[in-house]
Amino acid sequence: MRNLLIFITKYNAFFLFLIFEIASFIIYIKYNSFQKASFINSTAEVTGNLYARTDELKGYLSLRDVNDNLVRENARLRNQLKTSLYLDTAGKKRVIDTNYKQQYEYIAAKVINNSVNKRNNYITIDRGSNNGIAKGMGVITDAGVVGKVVFVGPHMAIVQSLLHKDTRFSAMLAAHKEIGYLEWGEDVDPHKGLLIDVSNNARPKIGEQVVTSDLSLFPAGIPLGKVSKLNAKGGGFFLNMEVALAVDFSKLQYVYVIVNRFAQEQAGLEAQEKKDE
């Protein structure tokens, strides 16, 4: 306290000047309408800019929550798409409103680890068996196909990326409906795939869309990419062609895991068929 009094006493002239200056400024503003209006306008502008910057900062800090909510909402909407349903014609005569039954469900997940520069690339997501994830499920984004689940823990799962030498999905030319297989090319380019074993009857064009077929573990029609080069090497009696992949794997943030309600039944029947051969 003593030091404070000494400091004030030492600089009393400065503090008096400051007090008189502030008082003069207040009187000047208060009793001059033009200056008062100018001061209020300037203050309002400064305050408005401050509020705007504060709001932008709050918006930036809440982007993750907004993105999470949007992804969950997209998953809910995908569950309502007709591609997620199957037509139960057997029940048509009884109850018309139940012709379409849910076949596919979508679980939103966040990418927490990813690689694109290896020969065999994997993606880690923050959803596991506790969230309904199981091995063999397909994984997509809004842009297209990402890969399939290969390892599952209670809280996380590992996805074998489309950028993997052993990944192969049934695919078709969207315009011609000719079916083949999409796999990753040997040149390890994260933007290119290879559509192989397409019938010679097909007449594909550069830019034609390549999508999943009814024979894949995905709903039909999900984008895989677009034809970027015809007559790729190694075709033999079939057509091979390069495909510009639909998904930019270096920018993955959120994905959707596809739950096929009939997958287990189909796998069981196909396994029984193999036993009988």
Side-chain angles (χ1 to χ4, degrees):
M1 187 65 181
R2 184 170 174 271
N3 291 336
L4 178 62
L5 292 174
I6 293 174
F7 177 78
I8 293 174
T9 302
K10 185 176 180 180
Y11 295 99
N12 62 340
F14 170 76
F15 287 118
L16 284 173
F17 169 77
L18 191 61
I19 291 170
F20 287 136
E21 190 73 18
I22 293 172
S24 300
F25 183 74
I26 292 172
I27 293 171
Y28 179 73
I29 295 296
K30 186 175 181 180
Y31 294 101
N32 291 275
S33 57
F34 177 76
Q35 284 75 10
K36 183 177 181 179
S38 299
F39 177 75
I40 292 173
N41 288 337
S42 300
T43 304
E45 184 175 352
V46 172
T47 304
N49 287 332
L50 180 61
Y51 285 151
R53 297 294 177 270
T54 303
D55 185 64
E56 287 178 4
L57 179 61
K58 288 180 178 178
Y60 177 77
L61 294 176
S62 65
L63 277 179
R64 180 171 181 176
D65 291 335
V66 171
N67 284 338
D68 289 344
N69 290 334
L70 286 174
V71 170
R72 283 194 292 269
E73 178 65 12
N74 284 342
R76 186 185 69 80
L77 293 174
R78 281 183 177 274
N79 288 333
Q80 299 174 13
L81 292 174
K82 273 197 173 183
T83 53
S84 300
L85 311 175
Y86 82 101
L87 181 60
D88 186 3
T89 54
K92 186 173 183 180
K93 292 183 180 179
R94 290 192 294 108
V95 186
I96 295 176
D97 290 340
T98 59
N99 284 349
Y100 284 97
K101 296 185 178 181
Q102 191 82 24
Q103 179 176 358
Y104 297 102
E105 294 179 358
Y106 296 83
I107 300 173
K110 182 175 176 57
V111 173
I112 56 178
N113 194 21
N114 182 24
S115 66
V116 298
N117 57 354
K118 302 175 183 178
R119 188 65 184 106
N120 298 318
N121 294 286
Y122 294 92
I123 301 162
T124 307
I125 58 175
D126 67 346
R127 293 289 184 268
S129 57
N130 289 350
N131 309 103
I133 308 297
K135 183 179 178 180
M137 290 181 175
V139 182
I140 65 171
T141 67
D142 290 331
V145 171
V146 171
K148 65 178 179 180
V149 177
V150 288
F151 301 107
V152 183
H155 307 102
M156 290 178 286
I158 302 295
V159 178
Q160 181 176 299
S161 171
L162 180 58
L163 307 181
H164 190 289
K165 69 178 180 64
D166 295 327
T167 300
R168 174 185 278 198
F169 296 128
S170 178
M172 66 180 180
L173 296 165
H176 295 82
K177 309 301 180 186
E178 294 287 352
I179 293 178
Y181 294 97
L182 186 86
E183 58 184 28
W184 196 23
E186 294 182 357
D187 56 356
V188 199
D189 186 335
H191 303 290
K192 291 181 182 180
L194 195 63
L195 181 62
I196 65 172
D197 294 348
V198 178
S199 170
N200 275 317
N201 295 325
R203 294 293 180 268
K205 296 180 180 179
I206 298 294
E208 182 173 350
Q209 192 172 40
V210 178
V211 299
T212 55
S213 76
D214 291 315
L215 306 179
S216 70
L217 53 83
F218 304 92
I222 294 180
L224 287 161
K226 293 182 178 180
V227 176
S228 57
K229 181 181 178 182
L230 300 174
N231 302 320
K233 62 181 181 179
F237 294 105
F238 296 92
L239 295 177
N240 288 355
M241 58 203 79
E242 285 187 2
V243 175
L245 298 178
V247 174
D248 186 344
F249 287 83
S250 65
K251 297 180 180 179
L252 284 180
Q253 292 185 337
Y254 294 91
V255 295
Y256 301 100
V257 182
I258 301 174
V259 181
N260 182 353
R261 289 185 173 183
F262 303 153
Q264 189 172 358
E265 178 183 352
Q266 180 180 347
L269 290 172
E270 290 175 352
Q272 185 62 42
E273 180 187 17
K274 289 181 180 179
K275 287 181 180 179
D276 294 339
E277 288 180 352

